[in-house]
Amino acid sequence: MLPNSFSFSESDPVDKILIQAVGGKRISQEEALLLYEEGDFLKIQMVARHLREKIRPHTQASYTMFRVVNYTNYCNVECNFCSFMDEIGNGKGYILSLDEILEKMDYAVEMGADQLFLQGGVYPDIEYQYYKDVISGVKKRFPDMHIRAFSPVEIINLETITGRPLKDVLQELKSIGLDSVPGAGAEILTERMRQIISPKKASVEEWVRAMETCHEVGLPGSANIVFGSEETKKEVIDHLQVIRDLQDRTGGFLSFIPWTFQPQTKRFKVRPVPTHEYLKVLGISRIFLDNISHIETSVMVLGKGVGQLALYSGADDISSVVIEENVLRSFGLKTEKEAHKFLSEGGFEPVRRDLLYQERYSGAPAV
Ligand code: SF4
C-alpha cells in the first residue's frame, strides 16, 4: 500500500514506477534513471521511507562503534581525490607497527569500540607477513573484536605480492581472524569515471572480482558510491546496477552507503551536490537495491542536518561514531553519548549494532 495520502497517479509514468516499487516489483535500470531525471524528490523520499520500514521500524535508527586505523599512508595508486596518501619513497609517510595498532585499539576499546576497521594505502614493499601479523595480533589481544579490513584495491595487492590465488589468500586471512571487508574504493563503477578519478585503481572488473571472491569465502561487507563529480546520472544508475547484480549472485553486501566527493580535491571537477539530490540518490538506492537490507548515511561527511533528513529518506543507519585520539575537523559524532543524543533529537530510538548488523542493544549507551 502507498504511504499516506500523497497523490500518486497510475497514469503518470514516474508515479507508476513508485507505485510498483511499493508493491514489491523490482525496478529496472531505465526506470531508476527516469526517477533520477524526472522523479519528484518528495515522492521518492516517501516511498524510500516506506521501504525502509520493512527493515527497521521508523522509530529506530542504528549506529555502530568501530575504530578506523590506517596502517600506512604510503600508496602507489594516486587517486586524484586522495588527501591522505604519501608518495612511496618520499620518506614522510608512516607504516604502523603492530604495537602502535594495538595501542590505538586500547584507546578505542576504552571509548566503547568493539570493532576495528583497518585500511591503508597500497604499498607493495610491505610483506604479506605484516598483514597476517596484524590480523592475528589484534585477534589475540582482543578475541571478540570484529575485524573489517582491506578494500578491493588492497586485496588485489595481496594477490599480487603473494602470487597466490585470491581465494587462498582470503581464506587464510579469514582463518586467522579477518571477519569482513569494506567495499570501499568503488567511487563510480564505470571505466570512464575511473579514468578520471583514479586511473591506477582497480578496474570495475577487478573491483567486482575482489568483492565476489570475498563473499564466496564468507567475508561479507558493505558497498558504497561516491558521486558529485563529472559522472552522468546514467553512470550513477550503472553503478547501482553493478552492485545489485553482484548482490544477486552472492548476497554478501550487508549495507550500501551513498557519499559525495569532498571539495578539497583540485585534480578533477567536484560539484557541490544539493541536499535534495543527495537524498534523492539515497532514496533511489533504497528503492533500486531491493536485495540490500541496510542503507547508511554518513553524518561524518554530510553533517548532522543532512544525516537526520537521510534517516527520513530511506536510510536506517548512521554508520559509526568517529573514534580518534585527535579528532580533526569533522561533522562526525565523537562518542556514543553524542550518537544517542543526535538520534534521540531526530526522533529515533538509537539501536547499537555490530558490523554484521547484529543488534547489540538499544537504550542508554554503555560508555
Ligand atoms: S588507494 Fe586509497 S590511499 Fe591510495 S591514493 Fe587511492 S584513496 Fe588514497
Side-chain angles (χ1 to χ4, degrees), residues 208-219:
V208 167
R209 182 172 65 84
M211 291 313 294
E212 191 154 12
T213 314
C214 289
H215 296 174
E216 275 169 20
V217 303
L219 292 168

Side-chain angles (χ1 to χ4, degrees), residues 16 21 89 112 162 170 194 218-219 247 293 343 345:
K16 196 171 169 189
T162 58
L170 291 168
R194 293 187 96 63
L219 292 168
Q247 179 72 345
S293 296
L343 290 173
E345 285 175 358

